[in-house]
Amino acid sequence: MSTFTSSQPPFPSSCAPNTDHLCLYDVSRQNGSYETENVAGYIPYVPGDPAIRLLSDDVHTHLSHHLETPLLDELYDKLWLLAKKSSRNIDPLHTQKVKGRSIIPTEDPRLHLTWHQDRIYIKPVPVFLLNHEFWTTYLLQLSTHKSPLGTSQESYQSTPFAFDGSIAVGFLRSYALLVPHRLDFMLAKEAHLIPDDVKDWLQWSKFISHFRHLPDESVARRYHYGQLRLSRLNWAVRIFRPQHRRSVWFYEISHWSITSFMSRAIVPFLFVFAGISLALSSMQVALSVPTDDPWFHGLGGSGLQDIGRAFWVFSIAVILGWVALWALLLCILIAILAWQVLWGLAREKQRRAGVPAA
């Protein structure tokens, strides 16, 4: 996993939408206390989450729950077979609407930027990622943060805090592509993706612009990819069987109701059933036609034989057409899959050879 090693947050404190000051927990005392708990303007908890104390273990667990994607990290070396390996492959929110997709907020980071049919899942921006002081204390590998009383951060932490800040950088860079325009900002606010700490478009634009042009080397590997199709991730779980999977068959179950599942599954089954019924009916008509040499009968034959010949030819044509249709559908499916795999192989070969992608 890549590591964000900068000694400063990607944005200056003057652009931070959240300006809460952290009241760090002093673990050097026997009972533990907040050194500045009575100082006005300081909070003893993670910004936006009053239930999470500013202890290393608590904060690390909180960050892992909100940002880490171990399943996608495990599948990283195979994702190029399933998706375009481009961190810029993220449609702005207004484009998601143009494509007919509903924006579904989710707190599960592994669903962030995954889409399925007419909906896309997006994780809202946590408030703590808008706080400059939280970045310098918990998201940078080399922190020089000082407490309000001048004590260094290290005296507040019982163990070294090690959380990969590149995950947070990649997450916010994805938002730089999701919300690049004022209209996208309005849609994000409507979908509750951006906290109330961000007051208006100008404040958001100044903040997020610092993440827009960061290179892939500065972000976690998951964000080397953009949007991911949920149906393909389901197949990746079934084929590669990663250790972090929650289900043997699904990356994420997309239908929680039998009625919803059946309403979608019944359509292809009806199509198959109708095709088979048509073929069987045609076979029955062809077999019921008299077989006393209808093809080579003279022109003076009875009208009954002419009608039988026409029915027989039409029935055979229907059967051949049904076979041709299914062969065409199968060939199209195989061709699309082959094209996508070959395209992925070519891009991966270029990447390993150090050739910039077109």
Side-chain angles (χ1 to χ4, degrees), residues 76-291:
Y76 176 81
D77 293 332
K78 290 97 173 177
L79 284 179
W80 61 271
L81 286 168
L82 310 169
K84 181 179 181 181
K85 190 174 184 180
S86 171
S87 57
R88 304 292 166 176
N89 183 33
I90 300 176
D91 294 322
L93 293 183
H94 76 274
T95 305
Q96 304 287 353
K97 290 289 188 178
V98 169
K99 292 184 176 182
R101 296 175 187 160
S102 301
I103 300 170
I104 309 298
T106 175
E107 288 294 349
D108 191 343
R110 68 193 185 94
L111 288 179
H112 181 59
L113 292 180
T114 62
W115 64 277
H116 179 67
Q117 296 180 348
D118 59 351
R119 56 188 180 273
I120 182 168
Y121 302 96
I122 300 176
K123 177 177 173 57
V125 177
V127 175
F128 56 79
L129 291 184
L130 306 177
N131 185 284
H132 187 273
E133 191 171 345
F134 187 87
W135 274 81
T136 59
T137 306
Y138 295 104
L139 293 175
L140 303 181
Q141 296 300 311
L142 299 175
S143 175
T144 57
H145 175 78
K146 300 292 183 179
S147 76
L149 299 183
T151 308
S152 65
Q153 173 193 336
E154 285 74 15
S155 67
Y156 286 86
Q157 310 296 340
S158 58
T159 58
F161 189 88
F163 182 84
D164 189 357
S166 66
I167 303 175
V169 175
F171 178 82
L172 285 178
R173 190 183 69 170
S174 72
Y175 261 90
L177 300 174
L178 280 171
V179 190
H181 307 107
R182 184 185 296 270
L183 175 59
D184 301 311
F185 178 79
M186 295 171 61
L187 292 173
K189 278 290 191 177
E190 180 183 337
H192 306 288
L193 299 179
I194 297 178
D196 293 336
D197 299 69
V198 182
K199 303 302 181 183
D200 53 34
W201 158 248
L202 292 179
Q203 185 184 28
W204 170 259
S205 183
K206 292 178 181 178
F207 168 74
I208 205 64
S209 63
H210 297 89
F211 295 88
R212 183 166 292 118
H213 301 294
L214 291 175
D216 284 350
E217 291 75 15
S218 297
V219 303
R221 297 200 303 176
R222 186 276 173 252
Y223 294 102
H224 294 178
Y225 291 85
Q227 298 167 178
L228 298 171
R229 190 178 299 185
L230 188 56
S231 59
R232 296 186 181 181
L233 291 176
N234 288 335
W235 280 107
V237 168
R238 295 163 192 163
I239 295 172
F240 300 116
R241 301 298 180 93
Q243 294 181 355
H244 291 90
R245 68 183 186 274
R246 298 180 181 179
S247 169
V248 176
W249 296 104
F250 298 98
Y251 179 88
E252 176 69 16
I253 299 175
S254 55
H255 302 288
W256 294 98
S257 170
I258 295 179
T259 303
S260 175
F261 176 79
M262 292 301 296
S263 64
R264 292 182 179 270
I266 198 76
V267 175
F269 280 111
L270 286 177
F271 178 75
V272 173
F273 177 77
I276 294 177
S277 297
L278 179 63
L280 292 176
S281 299
S282 299
M283 292 178 185
Q284 185 178 7
V285 171
L287 291 175
S288 64
V289 172
T291 57

Side-chain angles (χ1 to χ4, degrees), residues 10-70:
F11 60 97
S13 58
S14 59
C15 292
N18 180 275
T19 57
D20 292 333
H21 294 288
L22 306 186
C23 173
L24 299 182
Y25 193 78
D26 187 356
V27 298
S28 63
R29 301 186 180 185
Q30 183 176 0
N31 297 325
S33 64
Y34 287 100
E35 184 69 26
T36 55
E37 57 185 353
N38 295 321
V39 179
Y42 288 84
I43 59 173
Y45 52 83
V46 172
D49 295 281
I52 310 300
R53 300 178 302 170
L54 292 175
L55 287 172
S56 291
D57 292 341
D58 292 354
V59 175
H60 191 284
T61 300
H62 189 66
L63 290 175
S64 299
H65 175 73
H66 275 274
L67 297 176
E68 287 186 345
T69 56

